[in-house]
Amino acid sequence: MNFFRADPYVFPAIAEERRRRWRWFFVGLTIVIVAGVALRPAYRWGKGWRGRSFAAEAERATAAAQWPDAAETVQAAVQMAPTEPAVLRAAAHFYTQVGSPQAYRYWKALLALPSATADERREATGYGLTMQRYDLSAEQLGILRQAEPVRAEHLDLAAQLAWKMNDPITALALSDQLLALHPAHPGARLRHGQILAASTGDEPKAQGLRELLALGKSEAPTALAALETLANEPALTTEQVRALAAELATHPGGKTEHRLAAMSFEKRLAPERRTELVERAVADFHSSEPKALAALGRWLMQQGEAARVLALISPPLSLTRQDLFLVRVDALATQKQWVEIQQILSNGEAPIQPFYREVFLARVATELAGDRPAKAHWSAALAAASRNPTLLLYLVQYAEKIGALPIAEQAWRQLAQQPDWALRANAALVPLVEAQGKTRGLRDLMRQLRRLAPNDPAPRHDEAYLDLLLGENIPAAQETAAQLLREHPERLAYHSTVALGYLRAGDPAAALRQYDRLSFAWEKAPPGAQAIRAAVLLANEEPAPAQAAAASIVLSALKPEERELIAPLRR
């Protein structure tokens, strides 16, 4: 039946009514379809608007250091509109300000957008430098310097990055370039002095210390940073120490830590004034706000004044803040009050993260109950630290301080899994593995370091040397050792490695020839080099010189395989 034309079997009035109803049905259906199509963009726009509103609130709270409000509004903004540029920017700013690794992913997402600005790229570069995400800094600096290669901020950031990545030559060249353009640039002046002060040459080092002291006495915004650098320098003259103490004590931007550091330098100049300085520090800062009180407590611990710390920070006061609690627990540990520490940690009132609680419980368990309960707490601490570099570094330092070297090794290995920490962590593992006499493990570390730093000859040489000690990969190790010796003929270690290579390859005469042109006081050589020479002499049937060469070697300073080389001579 057709309702849209006349039907001879339907009354005209009824047909017209049916046609009208169908027309309205199609109009209504069209409206519903159009509304449905338009509703989704409108919904997305509404969520975006709400997310931007939360982001604006979060930016205001972050700027005012209202951290709980900022955290709440940032989370709301991310849930509402996670891809909005304003939301990504607010989250990046908040997590950067609180020093959280979470900022990294928000910076990456924000900077991947076409709308990313140069200011945002500079902020992200600074975050990368602070949080040791050098991959982010290098990536953004590449973009920034391509657009503005000689802009002062970009040169300064590039110098900082080179300095942090252990490339002082590039850092110094960039600082010199920046100072040529802006002679009074405070960042370049600081970096220039720091680089020279860290050099091994006497004259550059002295120049760097002079530059830093001059900067510290100025009104430049980096003056306090220059003084802090000098405070960690052991090679200061008496006059420089006196000047540094005076500047730290009076700098207008100085905090409690700087005033206390000044007192430490006063004590260095006059050790007999120790008691007087401790009394003065307590009188000056005992009623300070909590953060300053915690700084005083840490300083007193450095002076060996645990009893004063316990009197200064009462049990109720220590439960109000993590920093105060940690100082009091440190003082209790110094006095071996393990049972009291265990009770405090077990009552659930300690104002510390679960990570710190597990670390301290591990220490208490070690002291009170032995290794078995401690292992569970160490494992929990390692799990809590997970991929957090700050916590893992704390664990490394704490474990090394109390002699828990296997725990320090595990923490370094967790750090080594993170690309930005791989080089430093693997390098830090070297003495720990070496102390345990694990030659094969040490060789594997050198292999990893060689991959991470392909232009550094040290790990290349050490890998080859350890291969030869182990009697493995001999042809490749010989080739590497020979190439390094051609490049650096002045290095005794390379001569010894080449000699060891010939010895392992069954050519003792060629090994002995490596020493023909060397004039050296062998008793001053490293023990390993002495052992190889003694073994080479023995292999060339010169038992008397070999015996004399091996006689003064300290066996405990040798690796197991080095001891085996001279075992026939030390029976």
Side-chain angles (χ1 to χ4, degrees):
M1 184 178 291
N2 194 331
F3 294 113
F4 296 99
R5 60 184 177 85
D7 191 328
Y9 301 103
V10 179
F11 291 106
I14 295 175
E16 180 60 29
E17 177 64 22
R18 288 177 177 174
R19 285 194 294 271
R20 187 169 64 251
R21 287 177 181 175
W22 278 104
R23 282 196 297 270
W24 280 112
F25 171 76
F26 283 114
V27 169
L29 182 61
T30 302
I31 291 172
V32 169
I33 292 172
V34 171
V37 172
L39 186 59
R40 184 175 294 275
Y43 175 70
R44 286 200 300 266
W45 181 88
K47 288 189 70 175
W49 176 83
R50 190 72 176 130
R52 290 191 295 273
S53 177
F54 279 129
E57 291 180 35
E59 294 278 25
R60 287 191 291 270
T62 299
Q66 297 170 345
W67 306 123
D69 291 344
E72 184 178 345
T73 49
V74 160
Q75 291 167 6
V78 170
Q79 290 174 359
M80 187 64 63
T83 60
E84 276 286 326
V87 171
L88 294 171
R89 188 180 304 110
H93 286 162
F94 168 72
Y95 288 116
T96 295
Q97 289 299 313
V98 298
S100 170
Q102 291 188 62
Y104 178 81
R105 63 188 180 98
Y106 290 110
W107 280 121
K108 289 288 286 185
L110 177 63
L111 297 170
L113 299 175
S115 59
T117 66
D119 284 339
E120 289 166 348
R121 296 190 190 282
R122 284 187 282 270
E123 284 185 76
T125 301
Y127 166 81
L129 292 171
T130 301
M131 297 299 291
Q132 297 181 318
R133 292 306 307 249
Y134 302 141
D135 56 331
L136 178 64
S137 297
E139 176 187 59
Q140 297 309 311
L141 268 173
I143 297 171
L144 289 167
R145 296 197 68 197
Q146 187 174 8
E148 297 179 275
V150 294
R151 181 173 175 138
E153 293 167 276
H154 301 168
L155 289 170
D156 190 33
L157 288 169
Q160 291 183 54
L161 178 61
W163 177 237
K164 287 181 178 289
M165 293 187 72
N166 299 315
D167 185 358
I169 295 174
T170 301
L172 190 61
L174 288 164
S175 297
D176 284 337
Q177 185 181 355
L178 180 51
L179 286 170
L181 296 169
H182 305 278
H185 191 282
R189 291 178 63 195
L190 174 64
R191 200 79 50 229
H192 195 271
Q194 288 174 326
I195 295 167
L196 290 177
S199 104
T200 55
D202 291 340
E203 183 49 39
K205 187 177 191 68
Q207 180 185 339
L209 295 177
R210 289 194 297 270
E211 289 182 12
L212 289 172
L213 191 55
L215 180 59
K217 292 180 178 180
S218 73
E219 296 182 359
T222 53
L224 194 57
L227 296 175
E228 290 170 347
T229 302
L230 286 169
N232 294 311
E233 173 55 57
L236 298 176
T237 66
T238 299
E239 287 307 313
Q240 288 172 332
V241 170
R242 185 171 289 109
L244 177 59
E247 294 300 328
L248 285 170
T250 58
H251 194 283
K255 298 181 174 62
T256 303
E257 292 88 341
H258 301 103
R259 309 290 184 247
L260 292 168
M263 292 186 187
S264 294
F265 284 112
E266 289 184 53
K267 189 187 78 170
R268 180 169 159 183
L269 291 168
E272 68 278 4
R273 295 181 57 206
R274 177 188 175 281
T275 302
E276 171 202 337
L277 291 166
V278 168
E279 296 291 346
R280 194 173 89 197
V282 172
D284 287 351
F285 301 111
H286 76 281
S287 59
S288 301
E289 50 89 23
K291 187 175 181 180
L293 188 61
L296 173 60
R298 289 190 291 270
W299 185 81
L300 288 171
M301 287 299 298
Q302 293 169 5
Q303 312 310 314
E305 296 283 348
R308 281 186 177 271
V309 171
L310 295 176
L312 191 69
I313 304 174
S314 66
L317 181 60
S318 72
L319 295 177
T320 61
R321 287 172 58 101
Q322 177 173 288
D323 52 1
L324 293 174
F325 181 84
L326 293 176
V327 174
R328 181 173 174 84
V329 167
D330 194 19
L332 288 170
T334 299
Q335 297 199 335
K336 302 188 182 302
Q337 300 295 321
W338 307 115
V339 173
E340 183 175 347
I341 295 174
Q342 187 177 50
Q343 291 172 347
I344 295 169
L345 293 170
S346 301
N347 66 17
E349 296 181 3
I352 55 173
Q353 298 177 33
F355 164 78
Y356 292 108
R357 182 175 179 276
E358 294 297 338
V359 170
F360 298 145
L361 283 173
R363 175 74 187 281
V364 169
T366 300
E367 298 294 338
L368 293 180
D371 289 339
R372 184 174 295 177
K375 286 181 180 178
H377 292 299
W378 285 127
S379 296
L382 284 162
S386 185
R387 294 177 61 81
N388 185 322
T390 302
L391 296 184
L392 287 170
L393 281 174
Y394 177 90
L395 186 55
V396 163
Q397 293 164 357
Y398 190 86
E400 289 180 347
K401 176 182 174 182
I402 65 172
L405 298 186
I407 304 304
E409 181 180 343
Q410 289 181 59
W412 276 125
R413 289 194 184 280
Q414 284 190 202
L415 267 172
Q417 294 173 12
Q418 303 185 34
D420 293 339
W421 284 88
L423 182 59
R424 177 179 171 184
N426 279 290
L429 281 167
V430 169
L432 293 175
V433 173
E434 192 168 25
Q436 299 172 54
K438 299 178 180 178
T439 306
R440 185 163 276 101
L442 187 61
R443 188 271 314 275
D444 294 342
L445 272 179
M446 291 304 167
R447 187 168 293 166
Q448 181 67 8
L449 284 168
R450 188 250 305 160
R451 294 191 191 104
L452 293 167
N455 296 323
D456 187 346
R460 288 173 59 209
H461 165 263
D462 290 352
E463 180 189 356
Y465 175 70
L466 293 167
D467 267 339
L468 293 170
L469 269 187
L470 292 165
E472 299 174 1
N473 308 313
I474 292 174
Q478 279 187 293
E479 183 178 348
T480 298
Q483 179 184 350
L484 287 170
L485 183 60
R486 286 193 295 271
E487 295 171 0
H488 303 280
E490 76 285 356
R491 296 188 181 179
L492 173 65
Y494 295 177
H495 284 276
S496 292
T497 301
V498 169
L500 177 60
Y502 282 122
L503 194 62
R504 290 300 196 204
D507 190 351
L512 186 61
R513 285 196 295 272
Q514 288 302 308
Y515 300 109
D516 285 349
R517 296 183 182 180
L518 292 181
S519 177
F520 197 80
W522 283 102
E523 66 277 5
K524 296 181 180 179
Q530 294 185 50
I532 292 169
R533 178 170 172 267
V536 168
L537 290 168
L538 181 64
N540 280 274
E541 299 181 355
E542 298 185 24
Q547 193 75 45
S552 61
I553 300 175
V554 179
L555 293 180
S556 61
L558 297 177
K559 295 177 177 59
E561 294 78 9
E562 291 168 339
R563 286 197 293 273
E564 288 178 15
L565 289 172
I566 60 169
L569 300 169
R570 294 296 297 267
R571 287 173 181 164

